[in-house]
Amino acid sequence: MATTFPPAPKVGMVSLGCPKALVDSERILTKLRADGYQMSPDYAGADVVLVNTCGFLDSAKEESLEAIGEAIAENGRVIVTGCMGNEAAMIRARFPSVLAITGAHQYEAVVHAVHEASPPVPNAFVDLVPEGGLKLTPRHYSYLKISEGCNHRCAFCIIPSLRGDLVSRRIDAVLREAEKLVAAGTRELLVISQDTSAYGVDTRHEARAWKGRDVRAHMTDMARELGQLRTADGRAPWVRLHYVYPYPHVDQVIPLMAEGLLTPYLDIPFQHAAPDVLRRMKRPANDAKVLERVKNWRAICPDIAIRSSFVVGFPGETESDFQYLLDWLDEAQLDRVGAFRFEPVEGAAANALPDPVPEDIKEDRFQRIMAKTAAISAAKLQAKIGRTIAVIIDEVGEPDEEDGSIGATARSQADAPEIDGNVFLRDTTGLKAGDIIDVIIEDADDHDLFGVPVTAR
């Protein structure tokens, strides 16, 4: 007689915010899958819906509240977690039917809440979790979170109040997770945290045994070890560093990029360049030294891509300050840039600063910085026409109805997923997502490249 298993409860997930929140969602879903839950792709099929919220800006909070409201309207059984968990009273006042509210990276609490809302059905005969855990990203790239929290107290940011001070993971745990991800098919590791350069400061860079030797919990040691990983076909995965504050020891990872052990890419949150604005932001304010270091980095590793983000319209920012930033960008020639209009967020020290910038001036400055950075990007990408570069394929399209040709969307080493540009390819028959191939660049616009695989020429 065949054994009939009772149906497993199903969980839906809405994940908002940054890649660090996405990693939290993956960990929660991995634990729930191990406990016997199935995942539901829609509201209708879910026994309970998790909403992982973002609370960094007021606009992000409103998006989170809208997501909670939609989940309640469509399903009714909702658990809230993430950065807005510290505003439980406000959430309950607006949505009294919410089943439970937990804070950021409180994995055990949110899993317990799911167990309470929809108890698991034990089944000892079925292995439910793949070795690499459950992922919300494509199989070929993965986020590797190395720490929680932040020790900085930037005037515009409330992350420390949401996620606390820096808490670094053990280096052996980080490397073990990276090894499993690569073994499970990851071709690109994206290292993330609130401050990657500060990794291990809280543990005094404690060393742990790894592969028969001691390795420190330090960004440079970690980067060197990640550069030793290999995929099943013997290739080095791309290893991309995000949220890197330009501390002096960052200089030590540039030779690793030149050697091919790390992806030649640095994501550095400069935020501004004008010294007076940086001081009001409570950020490091030595722009001249930074420019000199960027020049040195490019001398060591000419292909390095540097991305950053900037805030315009911060309280007290003068036209002179803003022009200083534009001139600095002309000098720095950053490869990828994002810009944001300053937005007050409840609990941030910047809200109390004098001389707020009017909204129309914020908008004007935003448009000007975007035009400036688009022009820099366009010139840099035009210079790549005719070159052969490596790309990783993210998505392969359907055959064209007329001639059967197949295109694909890919990224170069200068492009992180979701935030940077793409390389659009033609004639990609036989290729699949996750393939890393050489392509010849044929054209470019302000932000993207267009090319063809070398073998298709």
Side-chain angles (χ1 to χ4, degrees):
M1 176 186 251
T3 300
T4 302
F5 296 128
K10 293 186 177 181
V11 177
M13 169 70 85
V14 178
S15 187
L16 303 172
C18 63
K20 292 175 285 296
L22 186 70
V23 173
D24 291 345
S25 296
E26 290 177 339
R27 289 179 178 175
I28 291 166
L29 291 181
T30 295
K31 180 63 172 72
L32 290 172
R33 191 78 170 101
D35 289 347
Y37 290 85
Q38 293 183 3
M39 303 302 121
S40 174
D42 51 42
Y43 292 121
D47 295 294
V48 62
V49 175
L50 295 175
V51 180
N52 191 359
T53 58
C54 177
F56 183 56
L57 297 173
D58 288 346
S59 56
K61 290 183 181 181
E62 189 55 39
E63 181 184 9
S64 294
L65 292 171
E66 289 176 2
I68 296 169
E70 179 180 331
I72 289 175
E74 296 291 334
N75 182 279
R77 295 174 56 76
V78 176
I79 293 170
V80 176
T81 189
C83 289
M84 283 194 71
N86 65 338
E87 300 188 47
M90 182 270 286
I91 293 173
R92 287 202 179 279
R94 185 159 171 176
F95 305 108
S97 63
V98 165
L99 299 178
I101 301 172
T102 70
H105 56 264
Q106 294 180 359
Y107 311 118
E108 292 184 4
V110 70
V111 168
H112 176 74
V114 173
H115 285 190
E116 290 286 314
S118 185
V121 178
N123 188 336
F125 300 99
V126 180
D127 182 13
L128 297 169
V129 180
E131 179 69 16
L134 297 184
K135 296 169 84 280
L136 297 175
T137 55
R139 183 172 182 261
H140 60 278
Y141 69 81
S142 301
Y143 292 102
L144 180 67
K145 185 157 64 170
I146 62 174
S147 64
E148 298 282 2
C150 184
N151 288 342
H152 296 286
R153 295 297 182 265
C154 302
F156 54 81
C157 182
I158 59 171
I159 290 297
S161 66
L162 296 177
R163 291 181 172 261
D165 289 338
L166 176 72
V167 179
S168 301
R169 296 177 61 196
R170 287 173 44 160
I171 183 63
D172 54 339
V174 170
L175 296 176
R176 187 174 300 109
E177 179 182 353
E179 188 176 61
K180 287 183 177 180
L181 287 169
V182 171
T186 291
R187 309 297 299 274
E188 178 180 17
L189 286 167
L190 300 107
V191 179
I192 58 170
S193 66
Q194 296 298 337
D195 181 359
T196 295
S197 305
Y199 172 63
V201 167
D202 55 313
T203 64
R204 298 184 179 181
H205 302 300
E206 177 186 35
R208 293 278 178 172
W210 176 254
K211 305 292 185 182
R213 59 189 181 279
D214 286 343
V215 179
R216 293 184 307 157
H218 191 284
M219 185 185 79
T220 56
D221 295 51
M222 175 191 66
R224 190 175 295 106
E225 293 298 325
L226 292 175
Q228 306 302 318
L229 294 172
R230 294 294 180 269
T231 62
D233 58 0
R235 300 184 63 164
W238 290 6
V239 178
R240 195 181 296 276
L241 300 179
H242 287 271
Y243 309 104
V244 177
Y245 281 70
Y247 303 154
H249 63 259
V250 173
D251 295 349
Q252 299 172 30
V253 304
I254 309 303
L256 301 180
M257 296 177 183
E259 295 169 23
L261 297 180
L262 290 180
T263 301
Y265 177 101
L266 276 182
D267 172 15
I268 301 179
F270 288 121
Q271 307 298 4
H272 214 281
D276 287 345
V277 176
L278 289 170
R279 278 192 286 271
R280 285 193 295 275
M281 287 180 167
K282 298 185 178 178
R283 303 278 295 182
N286 194 336
D287 62 297
K289 188 174 182 180
V290 166
L291 287 173
E292 184 62 29
R293 292 176 68 200
V294 168
K295 181 180 178 181
N296 291 337
W297 294 344
R298 287 175 171 148
I300 296 169
C301 184
D303 286 335
I304 189 172
I306 302 172
R307 104 163 311 275
S308 191
S309 56
F310 296 87
V311 177
V312 299
F314 191 78
E317 181 192 57
T318 64
E319 178 61 26
S320 176
D321 291 328
F322 180 69
Q323 186 60 50
Y324 190 105
L325 171 59
L326 295 183
D327 294 342
W328 188 91
L329 287 168
D330 274 332
E331 181 97 14
Q333 291 288 300
L334 302 184
D335 300 84
R336 298 297 192 188
V337 172
F340 305 89
R341 308 162 188 85
F342 172 75
E343 180 181 326
V345 58
E346 185 177 351
N351 299 347
L353 292 175
D355 304 319
V357 177
E359 292 300 320
D360 60 333
I361 294 179
K362 278 187 201 176
E363 183 61 29
D364 174 70
R365 291 175 182 172
F366 174 77
Q367 296 299 333
R368 288 160 65 192
I369 193 173
M370 293 308 293
K372 168 71 71 177
T373 56
I376 292 172
S377 174
K380 283 180 166 284
L381 296 183
Q382 283 290 322
K384 294 185 178 182
I385 295 176
R387 287 185 56 188
T388 298
I389 65 172
V391 302
I392 187 168
I393 295 179
D394 283 333
E395 184 178 3
V396 177
E398 295 295 325
D400 183 82
E401 293 183 358
E402 294 185 1
D403 61 10
S405 63
I406 297 176
T409 301
R411 288 177 292 107
S412 73
Q413 291 192 312
D415 303 304
E418 305 296 331
I419 58 175
D420 293 325
N422 291 302
V423 183
F424 296 104
L425 302 176
R426 63 178 178 87
D427 298 340
T428 58
T429 301
L431 298 175
K432 62 184 182 303
D435 285 347
I436 297 177
I437 62 170
D438 288 334
V439 304
I440 297 174
I441 301 303
E442 300 177 312
D443 201 358
D445 60 21
D446 287 357
H447 302 290
D448 301 312
L449 295 169
F450 302 82
V452 61
V454 170
T455 55
R457 292 287 285 191

